[in-house]
């Protein structure tokens, strides 16, 4: 196995996904104390990144499942989820839950599809970077890139959870996470829309 390609894959993944660590830390903080939250977040991260890889690999082979003009509009996903999280935080702050709602057991933290949607939308620009790299790497090189990326998704999940469970950071996220998560998601959504020129922005 070519160590050069592995090193390039690690570097490429790190550069294009550094912002995911903050998002993952916020997700893990949101799911803290809720059974199964870690599993759902990791599953969602893998689903979202697998979708990014699938689109990039297909595009490298010449298939265009996702036209370039559509990518900026992926910003609507984190924007909508951020607004939903803000609405929920506002309801919780105002004591919007009834006694009946509190009595019903519910899963805490984000669901896998929410995490996947944010991961995919936030990685929309990654596709543009991955496609030319994959196209020039050939089938064998592409397989190495994909394998390294999938291993690094686990490392990213571990790192996000590590940050979310450090006492000082966990305390800050517990206090401000309900504000930070919607803010980060809305900001990501707006940046994707604006930088991509969606709606003529």
């Amino acid at each position: 196995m070519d160590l050069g390609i592995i090193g390039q894959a690690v570097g490429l993944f790190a550069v294009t996904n550094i912002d995911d660590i903050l998002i993952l830390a916020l997700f893990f903080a949101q799911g803290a104390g809720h059974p199964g939250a870690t599993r759902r977040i990791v599953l969602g991260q893998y689903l979202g990144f697998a979708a990014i890889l699938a689109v990039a690999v297909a595009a490298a082979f010449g298939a265009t499942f996702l036209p370039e003009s559509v990518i900026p509009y992926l910003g609507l996903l984190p924007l909508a989820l951020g607004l939903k999280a803000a609405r929920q935080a506002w309801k919780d702050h105002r004591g919007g839950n009834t006694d009946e709602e509190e009595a019903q057991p519910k899963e805490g933290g984000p669901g896998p599809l929410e995490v996947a949607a944010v991961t995919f939308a936030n990685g929309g620009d990654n596709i543009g970077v991955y496609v030319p790299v994959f196209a020039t790497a050939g089938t064998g090189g592409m397989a190495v890139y994909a394998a390294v990326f999938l291993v690094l998704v686990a490392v990213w999940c571990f790192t996000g959870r590590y940050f979310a469970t450090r006492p000082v950071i966990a305390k800050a996220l517990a206090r401000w996470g309900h504000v930070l998560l919607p803010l980060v998601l809305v900001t990501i959504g707006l940046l994707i829309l604006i930088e991509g020129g969606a709606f003529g922005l």
Side-chain angles (χ1 to χ4, degrees), residues 106-123:
K106 63 174 187 176
E107 293 182 336
L113 293 180
E114 286 179 83
V115 177
V118 172
T119 302
F120 185 73
N122 192 37

Side-chain angles (χ1 to χ4, degrees), residues 152-197:
L152 289 175
V153 168
V155 173
W156 249 233
C157 288
F158 174 82
T159 305
R161 189 170 188 280
Y162 176 82
F163 283 130
T165 55
R166 296 307 91 197
V168 174
I169 298 172
K171 189 176 177 183
L173 290 176
R175 184 170 182 184
W176 298 106
H178 67 287
V179 174
L180 282 174
L181 182 63
L183 186 63
V184 168
L185 292 180
V186 167
T187 302
I188 287 171
L190 290 174
L191 283 173
I192 293 170
L193 289 168
I194 292 166
E195 289 177 3

Side-chain angles (χ1 to χ4, degrees), residues 78-166:
L79 181 61
L81 290 170
L83 293 173
K84 179 185 170 192
R87 182 172 167 268
Q88 185 60 49
W90 177 254
K91 278 172 62 179
D92 291 347
H93 176 70
R94 296 199 50 193
N97 288 340
T98 65
D99 291 340
E100 279 184 27
E101 286 174 325
E102 287 176 359
Q104 292 174 355
K106 63 174 187 176
E107 293 182 336
L113 293 180
E114 286 179 83
V115 177
V118 172
T119 302
F120 185 73
N122 192 37
D125 56 340
N126 295 14
I127 294 168
V129 178
Y130 296 162
V131 171
V133 174
F134 287 180
T136 56
T139 307
M142 224 183 299
V144 173
Y145 272 101
V148 171
F149 285 1
L150 291 173
V151 169
L152 289 175
V153 168
V155 173
W156 249 233
C157 288
F158 174 82
T159 305
R161 189 170 188 280
Y162 176 82
F163 283 130
T165 55
R166 296 307 91 197

